[in-house]
Protein backbone atom coordinates (compact mmCIF):
# COMPACT_ATOMS: atom_id res chain seq x y z
CA UNK A 1 0.00 0.00 0.00
CA UNK A 2 1.42 3.35 -1.05
CA UNK A 3 0.67 6.30 1.21
CA UNK A 4 1.00 9.75 -0.38
CA UNK A 5 0.68 12.70 1.94
CA UNK A 6 1.35 16.39 1.43
CA UNK A 7 2.38 18.99 3.94
CA UNK A 8 0.06 21.55 5.47
CA UNK A 9 2.31 24.56 5.15
CA UNK A 10 0.65 27.79 4.09
CA UNK A 11 3.68 30.04 4.42
CA UNK A 12 4.08 32.52 1.56
CA UNK A 13 0.53 31.89 0.30
CA UNK A 14 -2.06 34.59 -0.27
CA UNK A 15 -5.64 33.34 0.16
CA UNK A 16 -9.00 35.02 -0.44
CA UNK A 17 -12.10 33.97 1.49
CA UNK A 18 -15.34 34.95 -0.25
CA UNK A 19 -18.40 34.70 1.98
CA UNK A 20 -22.07 35.25 1.22
CA UNK A 21 -23.78 37.71 3.57
CA UNK A 22 -27.10 35.87 3.17
CA UNK A 23 -27.70 33.72 6.28
CA UNK A 24 -24.67 35.26 7.94
CA UNK A 25 -25.36 33.35 11.17
CA UNK A 26 -24.03 30.33 9.26
CA UNK A 27 -21.47 31.89 6.93
CA UNK A 28 -19.78 33.94 9.67
CA UNK A 29 -18.95 30.70 11.50
CA UNK A 30 -17.58 29.18 8.29
CA UNK A 31 -15.46 32.31 7.73
CA UNK A 32 -14.12 32.22 11.29
CA UNK A 33 -13.22 28.54 11.04
CA UNK A 34 -11.48 28.97 7.70
CA UNK A 35 -9.52 31.99 8.96
CA UNK A 36 -8.43 30.09 12.08
CA UNK A 37 -7.41 27.03 10.04
CA UNK A 38 -5.32 29.12 7.63
CA UNK A 39 -3.53 30.84 10.51
CA UNK A 40 -2.79 27.49 12.21
CA UNK A 41 -1.23 26.23 8.99
CA UNK A 42 1.17 29.12 8.56
CA UNK A 43 -0.71 31.59 6.38
CA UNK A 44 0.08 35.12 7.58
CA UNK A 45 -2.92 37.18 8.76
CA UNK A 46 -1.82 39.89 6.31
CA UNK A 47 -2.06 37.37 3.46
CA UNK A 48 -5.73 36.53 4.05
CA UNK A 49 -8.26 38.66 2.19
CA UNK A 50 -11.91 38.46 3.19
CA UNK A 51 -14.61 39.53 0.73
CA UNK A 52 -18.33 39.51 1.47
CA UNK A 53 -20.92 39.31 -1.30
CA UNK A 54 -24.74 39.49 -1.10
CA UNK A 55 -25.45 35.81 -1.83
CA UNK A 56 -24.39 32.58 -3.51
CA UNK A 57 -25.00 33.94 -7.01
CA UNK A 58 -22.10 36.40 -6.68
CA UNK A 59 -19.55 33.91 -5.31
CA UNK A 60 -18.17 32.46 -8.59
CA UNK A 61 -17.82 35.81 -10.36
CA UNK A 62 -16.10 37.36 -7.34
CA UNK A 63 -13.67 34.42 -7.12
CA UNK A 64 -12.92 34.76 -10.82
CA UNK A 65 -12.26 38.51 -10.49
CA UNK A 66 -9.97 37.89 -7.51
CA UNK A 67 -8.04 35.23 -9.41
CA UNK A 68 -7.60 37.56 -12.37
CA UNK A 69 -6.65 40.71 -10.46
CA UNK A 70 -4.72 39.60 -7.38
CA UNK A 71 -1.85 37.25 -6.76
CA UNK A 72 -3.96 34.75 -4.81
CA UNK A 73 -2.77 31.19 -4.36
CA UNK A 74 -6.38 30.15 -3.84
CA UNK A 75 -9.88 31.17 -2.86
CA UNK A 76 -12.37 29.70 -0.41
CA UNK A 77 -16.07 30.26 -1.12
CA UNK A 78 -18.79 29.98 1.53
CA UNK A 79 -22.56 30.19 1.39
CA UNK A 80 -25.25 28.50 3.44
CA UNK A 81 -25.94 25.72 0.90
CA UNK A 82 -24.11 22.58 1.96
Amino acid sequence: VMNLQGTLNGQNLRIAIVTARFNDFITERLLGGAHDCLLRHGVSADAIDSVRVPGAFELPLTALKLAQSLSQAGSLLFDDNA
Side-chain angles (χ1 to χ4, degrees):
V1 175
M2 183 184 302
N3 183 16
L4 301 175
Q5 183 174 340
T7 61
L8 300 174
N9 182 357
Q11 292 178 338
N12 301 319
L13 293 180
R14 183 163 198 85
I15 303 292
I17 305 173
V18 185
T19 309
R21 287 192 305 258
F22 188 77
N23 285 336
D24 64 345
F25 60 93
I26 296 172
T27 59
E28 285 299 314
R29 293 168 74 186
L30 292 169
L31 171 63
H35 193 269
D36 179 59
C37 183
L38 290 170
L39 291 175
R40 285 187 285 121
H41 289 96
V43 178
S44 168
D46 294 339
I48 302 171
D49 296 315
S50 180
V51 179
R52 288 182 176 79
V53 297
F57 182 77
E58 294 83 6
L59 289 172
L61 181 61
T62 303
L64 177 64
K65 292 294 184 183
L66 284 168
Q68 291 173 341
S69 65
L70 300 174
S71 57
Q72 304 291 337
S75 296
L76 303 171
L77 309 175
F78 294 117
D79 72 354
D80 66 326
N81 298 313

